[in-house]
Amino acid sequence: MNKMTIDPAKSIPAFYAGQSILLTGPTGFLGKVFIEKILRSCPDVREVFLLMRSKTGSNINERLEKILNLPLFEKLRKERPSIFEKLIPISGDVNKKELGLSATDRQMLVERVTIIIHAAASVRFNNSLKYATFANTRATRDICILAKNMKNLIVTDWQKIIEIVETLDEHTLNIFTAKCLDYAPNTYIFSKNLAEKVIQDYSSSFPCAIVRPSIVIPTEKEPISGWLDNVYGPIGLFIGGGKGILRVACLNKTVNEDAIPVDIVIKAIIVVTWKVGLTTYDHSITDSFIQTPLVVNCTGQKYISYQDCIKMMFNIANEIPFEGTVWTPHTILTDNLVLFYILTILLHILPAILIDLILIFAGRRPMLVQLQRRVYVANRAVSCFSFHEWKYSNANRLTLTSLIPHDNLDPFSFDCSNLDIRTYCKNSAIGAKKFLLHEDMSRLDAVKAHNKR
């Protein structure tokens, strides 16, 4: 059968054939993995517009070229080098009003784009209300306006918040933030909550969906195991613990953490888009599953407590140690804030001051006190999550998984119930050494000897 005649309802790649996708956040962790997966598994996609901003010393084309040289894209570079021609960088900035798009680019996107994947977001928990609102809420509104071809909208609560942060001065806004966050633990949750309200309000105008991943962690297997590209959240804590820098952590050690490999999240996004996009092929569908914004909780299906996870990671760190370890890896876990503060002073700050003094006398730049300060702030910022057990509804995930055509299960199933946690964590540790720290795996014996001493 000719591939152009395949029913899109029975084939995910057939659905994406000829589609023009706008992706925001293409330089982020999720964005990069989405680009790789969509080009490799849905090669007949027409084009993928990448909303990017220029940085000092590099324009958007240079930034894209740098991204495509990452190990993540090595398989595609060998198998389909010409497919990268489908990537079209567009100059813009989600932190700017109307996404910072030029009139020409905006018109082109309005005319050509058929699917929008809004993956851009600020995931820091302690951003200012203004920055978080611009990046997470206003950007979502502007994406929806673009999708609706810029028609006038009715003012709602989220729009009032955007108007407030656009007009108030910083001092007044700081006071307002304390009141705004009365029911939300941080600006991230507050702004993302508003962003979901934006999607709900626009869902009557065009098909919408929301994918909510838990803690996003390195790839399970696609296109390579353990790939990651930045020191963030759990990875930063693992590296800090493995190097003996992180000696105390503030969390409830009996709570189960929920994390999900990034390639599983991307598969979920692709399948959700396929399901929602089918409404454009058959407007007679009356399935209530897609009458309101489809919300899919993309969460792990394997549960392990923080205490057991950290114990396992230290065992892996002994097997695959990091270079430059400064202290025997061991982390004290506590949910007592007073004890956490005292131990931070004794085990983090005082040793950091000593090491920084040694660095200064050696003519090098001090860094450890500043690093430990950031660790403390990060620890406190995530405490609202690490102190409580979170339960997620998996009904929509299970329904979606059951709808994936049988022939598409291998490349697109986002079921991770068979994930071997230890093997996965070991591959992630290797990935951290190779892709982040650029350490030579052939030096393991020498590193083990150093750590033993």
Side-chain angles (χ1 to χ4, degrees), residues 121-178:
S122 172
V123 296
R124 290 184 61 184
F125 294 160
N126 53 358
N127 275 324
S128 69
L129 179 63
K130 175 176 284 190
Y131 187 90
T133 301
F134 284 172
N136 295 336
T137 308
R138 189 176 70 178
T140 303
R141 178 205 67 180
D142 290 346
I143 282 289
C144 289
I145 292 175
L146 189 66
K148 202 181 176 187
N149 202 16
M150 296 176 285
K151 293 182 179 179
N152 293 326
L153 309 172
I154 299 172
V155 175
T156 52
D157 289 345
W158 53 263
Q159 201 156 6
K160 292 178 182 177
I161 295 294
I162 294 173
E163 184 180 349
I164 287 170
V165 298
E166 285 177 340
T167 55
L168 288 183
D169 62 82
E170 289 293 338
H171 175 70
T172 307
L173 196 54
N174 286 337
I175 298 172
F176 177 73
T177 300

Side-chain angles (χ1 to χ4, degrees), residues 423-436:
T423 300
Y424 171 76
C425 289
K426 184 176 178 180
N427 288 335
S428 296
I430 294 172
K433 282 178 67 70
K434 289 170 58 178
F435 305 124
L436 282 184

Side-chain angles (χ1 to χ4, degrees), residues 290-330:
I290 51 175
Q291 292 305 304
T292 57
L294 171 58
V295 179
V296 178
N297 293 321
C298 192
T299 60
Q301 295 157 257
K302 295 275 188 172
Y303 298 101
I304 181 171
S305 69
Y306 283 109
Q307 178 176 250
D308 291 340
C309 180
I310 291 171
K311 182 180 179 180
M312 179 183 64
M313 294 305 283
F314 276 134
N315 287 334
I316 291 173
N318 288 330
E319 184 181 343
I320 309 170
F322 294 121
E323 297 179 14
T325 301
V326 298
W327 204 343
T328 304
H330 175 71

